Amino acid sequence: MKILVTGGAGFIGSHTVVELLNAGFEPVIIDNFSNSNRSALAGLRQILNHDVPFYEADCNDAEALNAIFEKENFRGVIHFAAHKAVGESVAKPLMYYRNNLDSTLLLLETMQRYGVPNLVFSSSCTVYGQPEHLPVTEETPRLPAQSPYGNTKAICEDIIRDTVKAGGPVKSIALRYFNPMGAHPSGLIGELPLGVPGNLVPFITQTAAGIREKLTVHGGDYDTVDGTCIRDYIHVVDLAKAHVQALRLLDSREETSYYDVFNVGTGNGQTVLELIQTFEKVNNIKLNYSIGPRRPGDVEKIYAQVDKVNNVMGWRAEKTLAEGLQDAWRWEQNLQLKNSIVSE
Ligand code: UD1
């Protein structure tokens, strides 16, 4: 069963390629390397002992997409490819709307043209904003997005929902990720942020590696147990497996049009300080950090209710926060080793 993985060289995409192959699917990657690196393909080759079919192309290139769909007989698409930096999206909204909306529209049109039935869409818990009640369920109302990036996720969900409502024919699941972290336990693929990382875990591993002098904890006066924000950190390998389950569910549905949304998290909330302490403990490292001011746009606390994904999709998070932080650190150390060999 051939599955097109857009953004398959990226962080979540590359881990999903591994899990698709483990589950007997045939992933085909399309990536333009706008926010990923060719080294991910080398990492995949090492893990899998063979090359994964790959096209270097942009998901906004209609001709390229047509040619690929013409050649391959896809059973489904997992759409990861998107711009995803919150701050950049505030500065360059048109770039975000153009890229993230166009690619989703074009994929849906191309899927319809070639009769490809199944779409898994990469959405985010950012669509909930700061919910009134925790944990958040899929019934929790979405709030107006805090950033153009967040808005593209909400709009793409709506585009897919409306397409399905109109009779598709397409079956689709939007997965609302909480905070992905960690790396493949082999240490061969992981997160590769361009420039200064905005996300917490890569900032921690880069600080531990000495690339960043100090981690600033954004705010210590929130209404939480230790004053720092709460998030639901989900191991990227678990998250990758949720995509496999989503595809299985889509393929098992007999109707031709179907749409649903699922939270993908652990169901547990962790504060920033708890995460730092766990990192220090499991990796036996002292981290240089201090508490700074709040980051504008941050929500105080959010974590998932995962009953729906557990019960309907038969998926649950298996890996612990400690494993994720060990894997992320192993990956960072391997990266530094590779970089030092290259520069010698
Ligand atoms: C962010 C995005 C979210 C996106 C997700 C992708 C915002 C407001 N949200 O989520 O839309 O889907 O990334 O992964 O940007 N922190 C520090 N110091 C740092 C970095 C982060 O204290 O140097 C804290 C943050 O304040 C937050 C937590 O760590 O409390 C997690 O931050 P981050 O990894 O950036 O994820 P989110 O903000 O939850």
Side-chain angles (χ1 to χ4, degrees):
M1 218 198 264
K2 272 193 192 169
I3 306 296
L4 178 65
V5 185
T6 77
F11 176 42
I12 308 170
S14 57
H15 289 80
T16 300
V17 165
V18 174
E19 298 311 321
L20 284 169
L21 273 155
N22 286 345
F25 291 90
E26 295 173 69
V28 176
I29 296 175
I30 166 169
D31 207 298
N32 67 355
F33 299 114
S34 65
N35 193 24
S36 59
N37 197 291
R38 280 166 215 281
S39 60
L41 300 179
L44 284 174
R45 192 181 310 121
Q46 268 182 282
I47 293 171
L48 301 163
N49 282 321
H50 61 80
D51 284 318
V52 179
F54 161 74
Y55 293 94
E56 181 166 354
D58 194 313
C59 293
N60 291 301
D61 180 341
E63 247 175 71
L65 224 51
N66 260 325
I68 296 167
F69 275 71
E70 186 72 47
K71 198 164 155 219
E72 311 277 358
N73 186 15
F74 293 125
R75 183 83 189 158
V77 176
I78 306 183
H79 184 33
F80 292 108
H83 292 328
K84 59 161 195 178
V86 176
E88 186 184 47
S89 81
V90 175
K92 299 176 182 170
L94 293 181
M95 179 176 130
Y96 270 67
Y97 285 115
R98 171 68 69 200
N99 183 70
N100 294 4
L101 303 191
D102 265 7
S103 59
T104 304
L105 292 167
L106 198 57
L107 267 172
L108 280 166
E109 287 165 353
T110 315
M111 287 174 67
Q112 290 193 337
R113 187 169 314 123
Y114 288 91
V116 179
N118 305 314
L119 172 67
V120 180
F121 177 67
S122 172
S123 190
S124 165
C125 71
T126 194
V127 299
Y128 296 117
Q130 175 62 73
E132 249 180 74
H133 305 288
L134 289 171
V136 268
T137 75
E138 290 80 356
E139 309 308 319
T140 302
R142 293 184 331 191
L143 292 178
Q146 295 281 327
S147 70
Y149 156 76
N151 207 21
T152 67
K153 290 294 170 193
I155 296 171
C156 284
E157 283 191 358
D158 292 348
I159 291 172
I160 297 168
R161 180 204 60 205
D162 292 347
T163 307
V164 170
K165 216 191 269 174
V170 69
K171 295 184 280 181
S172 180
I173 286 175
L175 297 179
R176 292 177 177 162
Y177 312 153
F178 282 67
N179 286 58
M181 57 95 201
H184 195 265
S186 64
L188 295 168
I189 52 173
E191 200 165 357
L192 268 175
L194 289 182
V196 183
N199 292 119
L200 179 60
V201 173
F203 206 103
I204 288 180
T205 58
Q206 289 197 6
T207 307
I211 302 166
R212 312 278 155 212
E213 199 195 319
K214 192 168 105 182
L215 167 78
T216 303
V217 175
H218 299 318
D221 57 352
Y222 286 102
D223 181 21
T224 62
V225 59
D226 58 23
T228 64
C229 290
I230 291 177
R231 296 287 184 278
D232 184 338
Y233 295 93
I234 168 83
H235 196 296
V236 65
V237 170
D238 280 334
L239 178 56
K241 289 179 179 168
H243 294 78
V244 173
Q245 284 307 97
L247 271 178
R248 286 192 172 131
L249 175 62
L250 286 175
D251 212 54
S252 72
R253 304 289 303 199
E254 302 214 329
E255 62 270 56
T256 48
S257 298
Y258 163 89
Y259 175 69
D260 211 350
V261 297
F262 291 89
N263 288 342
V264 188
T266 65
N268 300 312
Q270 242 88 36
T271 68
V272 176
L273 287 181
E274 283 166 354
L275 190 130
I276 292 172
Q277 281 149 13
T278 307
F279 181 86
E280 291 186 322
K281 188 166 155 228
V282 298
N283 294 312
N284 201 16
I285 291 173
K286 201 87 208 86
L287 206 64
N288 187 17
Y289 70 90
S290 66
I291 312 268
R294 292 182 176 195
R295 182 172 70 175
D298 263 343
V299 303
E300 183 171 82
K301 44 191 161 199
I302 185 163
Y303 51 96
Q305 217 238 54
V306 285
D307 290 5
K308 184 173 173 186
V309 70
N310 292 170
N311 298 333
V312 180
M313 239 154 71
W315 172 93
R316 64 182 62 245
E318 285 165 353
K319 290 178 176 277
T320 61
L321 182 70
E323 280 173 279
L325 294 173
Q326 281 174 318
D327 291 337
W329 178 229
R330 184 181 307 111
W331 161 244
E332 183 69 57
Q333 287 173 294
N334 282 352
L335 265 185
Q336 297 321 314
L337 198 66
K338 258 192 253 165
N339 290 346
S340 68
I341 293 167
V342 170
S343 60
E344 261 167 24

